[in-house]
Amino acid sequence: MQRHWQLKWQPSSATPSRLALVGLGAIGLTAARMALRRTDIRVVAAVETDPQKVGQDLGFLTGWGRTHVTVTDSLTDALTTGQPKVAIVATASRLAEVLPLLRSLVDAGVHVVSSSEELFFPWLTGGEEVWMLHELAKDRKVVVVGGGVNPGFVMDRLPAFIAQACVNVRCIVVRRVVDVATRRPQLKAKLGLGLTPQGFETGVAEGQVGHIGLPQSAAFLAAALGLELSHITETLQPVLNEEGIVKGIEQIASGWEGEYERVRLELRMVLDAPNPCDEMEIDADPPLHVTVQGGVAGDEATAAILVNTATWVDQLPPGVHSGAVWFPPIPSLSVAG
């Protein structure tokens, strides 16, 4: 016996969201290419400080062809001429560096989706300024949310989602192994590739070397699973080649409940790392062990998450969201059969 269901999706009557792209580095340009292919958003403005990109048609920078969207170095001009309703911000990692930009966009009534790592769980380091931004966003009736792959998916939202199949979570360990030979030059520089151990230590002390966002992922994961942490620790060590030169990093963030480690995030990003993967071990009832062979492609997946979120961010309650965005609203669907 065979049964058959006839599905009919109700098309959305909403007009495409007007999108501005702020920051046209590797992530921003990839997001631009993806956004230009979409019919549910319309790219109307692009902002970048690189003088070699300012004044150019966005389409020529992306290989798309002429779009009549000219890259500007003025956010004010972009807001005035493009009148965007949502902006993808792909500029800096540190929350303190992007807060002025976020405030300007929010004050102008523009929703924000950003790849800033610390914005994924801004309550960890943002303090009073985040609460002020939250109140401003509510007043302007717009949404601010941070998103990406790490943080934003692989080591936080994905294991939190998988752990919904468990109870009595005692400990969760997430391991991510990345072959940085396949990644953009900016990331390699952030990892200190080519430095001496002394140069690596100096870069870490100055905040120029190391992955940003692991503590934010640990805090989010604990909050999503209802684990009451007392503190979070983070360690960072270089991985050296045979000549004693840095070829990658090993970084660990741990969330503790007193003396018990409840969350452990292990990140290994190494040049020519064998067997890249994303792995989750959940000590719970029932226990779960999940591995993504090859791992999630960081740059393209980050851009995809930003663009996808930009298409429905306006349907969230106004305010700053701490990364707790799971799925877009389900469109209307009628089923017969």
Side-chain angles (χ1 to χ4, degrees):
M1 177 181 176
Q2 184 182 55
R3 298 187 68 184
H4 181 78
W5 286 266
Q6 187 69 35
L7 306 181
K8 184 178 181 181
W9 295 94
Q10 304 297 324
S12 172
S13 59
T15 57
S17 296
R18 298 173 66 84
L19 173 69
L21 293 146
V22 183
L24 297 177
I27 298 297
L29 284 177
T30 302
R33 294 185 191 99
M34 294 177 176
L36 288 168
R37 299 189 185 103
R38 303 285 289 254
T39 59
D40 48 0
I41 47 178
R42 178 188 171 195
V43 179
V44 296
V47 182
E48 171 58 46
T49 58
D50 184 349
Q52 294 185 342
K53 297 174 183 176
V54 174
Q56 295 202 45
D57 188 290
L58 178 64
F60 296 156
L61 294 176
T62 61
W64 180 261
R66 186 176 296 278
T67 63
H68 300 287
V69 175
T70 302
V71 178
T72 178
D73 59 1
S74 169
L75 179 64
T76 301
D77 288 349
L79 294 174
T80 302
T81 60
Q83 297 183 333
K85 296 300 181 184
V86 59
I88 290 177
V89 175
T91 54
S93 297
R94 300 291 186 185
L95 187 56
E97 296 179 54
V98 299
L99 271 172
L101 174 59
L102 300 183
R103 281 194 293 265
S104 297
L105 288 166
V106 168
D107 197 37
V110 179
H111 302 286
V112 177
V113 182
S114 175
S115 62
S116 170
E117 288 91 335
E118 290 189 342
L119 184 62
F120 174 69
F121 199 86
W123 319 110
L124 190 64
T125 57
E128 184 178 354
E129 289 190 282
V130 174
W131 287 108
M132 293 173 62
L133 181 66
H134 179 64
E135 292 302 322
L136 180 62
K138 290 199 297 182
D139 182 69
R140 298 295 189 269
K141 295 181 172 56
V142 297
V143 174
V144 178
V145 64
V149 165
N150 187 30
F153 184 68
V154 169
M155 303 187 82
D156 34 62
R157 283 203 295 150
L158 182 58
F161 180 74
I162 291 172
Q164 291 186 27
C166 307
V167 295
N168 302 325
V169 176
R170 292 172 285 275
C171 180
I172 182 166
V173 179
V174 185
R175 302 181 184 92
R176 178 165 169 82
V177 179
V178 178
D179 176 10
V180 296
T182 64
R183 303 297 296 275
R184 65 189 188 279
Q186 297 93 326
L187 178 62
K188 295 176 182 178
K190 286 173 65 175
L191 301 181
L193 268 63
L195 296 178
T196 64
Q198 293 77 15
F200 182 90
E201 293 298 328
T202 299
V204 171
E206 295 176 350
Q208 302 300 315
V209 172
H211 174 73
I212 299 171
L214 274 193
Q216 282 73 19
S217 290
F220 170 86
L221 191 51
L225 299 180
L227 303 177
E228 298 182 2
L229 301 184
S230 57
H231 60 286
I232 295 173
T233 60
E234 185 177 32
T235 61
L236 172 60
Q237 299 293 334
V239 178
L240 307 179
N241 62 18
E242 294 179 354
E243 288 75 34
I245 301 300
V246 175
K247 67 173 185 177
I249 65 167
E250 289 183 337
Q251 198 161 335
I252 298 173
S254 297
W256 302 84
E257 183 180 355
E259 62 181 7
Y260 298 101
E261 189 178 35
R262 305 296 300 277
V263 176
R264 183 178 177 89
L265 307 182
E266 301 177 1
L267 177 63
R268 183 178 173 88
M269 306 181 78
V270 179
L271 194 65
D272 298 320
N275 304 317
C277 67
D278 298 314
E279 182 181 14
M280 289 146 270
E281 287 189 66
I282 305 173
D283 179 10
D285 303 319
L288 285 175
H289 189 171
V290 178
T291 301
V292 180
Q293 297 293 344
V296 177
D299 293 351
E300 288 192 41
T302 292
I305 288 172
L306 295 175
V307 173
N308 286 333
T309 305
T311 65
W312 50 267
V313 67
D314 59 341
Q315 299 182 51
L316 297 170
V320 176
H321 289 257
S322 56
V325 182
W326 297 93
F327 298 106
I330 302 299
S332 300
L333 170 67
S334 59
V335 181

